[in-house]
Amino acid sequence: MGKSAAHIVWDWNGTLFHDNDAIIGATNAAFVELGLEPITLERYRALYCVPVPKFYERLLGRLPTDAEWEVMDEVFHRYYAEHRVRCGLTEGAAELLAEWRRAGRSQSLLSMYVHDELVPLVRGFGIEPHFVRVDGRTGPSGGSKAEHMVRHLQALDAVEPERTVVIGDAADDAVAALHVGAQAVLYTGGSHGRASLEVVGVPVVDSLAEAVEVAQELAA
């Protein structure tokens, strides 16, 4: 049996999809519900973490109650759905996806964005054919990607975790990768700043092009 080909599992929000403005706007809309001051992108990227209620705890000094979380979560997703239409793919993303596919390598997409909204969004950008599988979140929001990653890789044929690299913008992407025995590269253009990512102990890069280069080396 020969080695399987290198495989990339891409994250969506903040990685392939450059939606920082919509994320910050939706977060601040949710904060209004609890009387919190608006947050800047820089502060968001310094404090953001998963599970999301822990992020709110860092700002509130306490965990939100179940009732508060439900209200904030609903407001966040309603605002985000309205404003994501002004967001586009990260610069160079479509070309990188096409090049990886032309090289005969496989790639898939795993996002914590709700599945039924993710799929038409990806399809609308014309990039769905580049992926062997596209999975969004099913079930409640706010949790970790780790168990979703287990199911995602189990659904893929001829993909070995040790030759799989997760490319994402959050520490939780690396946690999910390590959970299944894969490797990770973290990109600084999304939800976390460099300082927040470097503590994870995986390669950190400033562009998706560099992320793909490092992924190829890691999976060799």
Side-chain angles (χ1 to χ4, degrees), residues 41-62:
L41 175 60
E42 289 72 24
R43 184 163 168 76
Y44 177 93
R45 296 175 75 201
L47 296 178
Y48 181 74
C49 65
V50 173
V52 177
K54 293 290 290 182
F55 168 54
Y56 291 145
E57 181 182 26
R58 291 180 173 185
L59 297 160
L60 282 170
R62 62 174 177 82

Side-chain angles (χ1 to χ4, degrees), residues 33-34 62-74:
E33 300 299 319
L34 268 65
R62 62 174 177 82
L63 281 169
T65 66
D66 289 345
E68 287 172 335
W69 164 250
E70 288 180 10
V71 170
M72 293 174 77
D73 192 48
E74 190 277 329

Side-chain angles (χ1 to χ4, degrees), residues 77-151:
H77 285 95
R78 185 177 70 242
Y79 183 102
Y80 179 83
E82 292 171 358
H83 290 78
R84 74 181 188 202
V85 295
R86 294 198 293 270
C87 302
L89 295 178
T90 300
E91 184 177 358
E95 292 79 7
L96 289 168
L97 294 173
E99 289 170 7
W100 188 263
R101 182 186 180 196
R102 279 197 299 270
R105 306 183 187 100
S106 62
Q107 56 198 329
S108 57
L109 176 59
L110 175 62
S111 172
M112 294 298 283
Y113 192 48
V114 63
H115 181 79
D116 289 344
E117 295 183 33
L118 172 70
V119 172
L121 186 56
V122 173
R123 190 170 293 152
F125 283 111
I127 59 174
E128 186 183 23
H130 297 316
F131 303 112
V132 295
R133 186 175 182 88
V134 174
D135 282 331
R137 173 180 52 81
T138 57
S141 64
S144 173
K145 186 180 273 190
E147 292 306 317
H148 295 270
M149 186 68 72
V150 172
R151 292 190 291 272

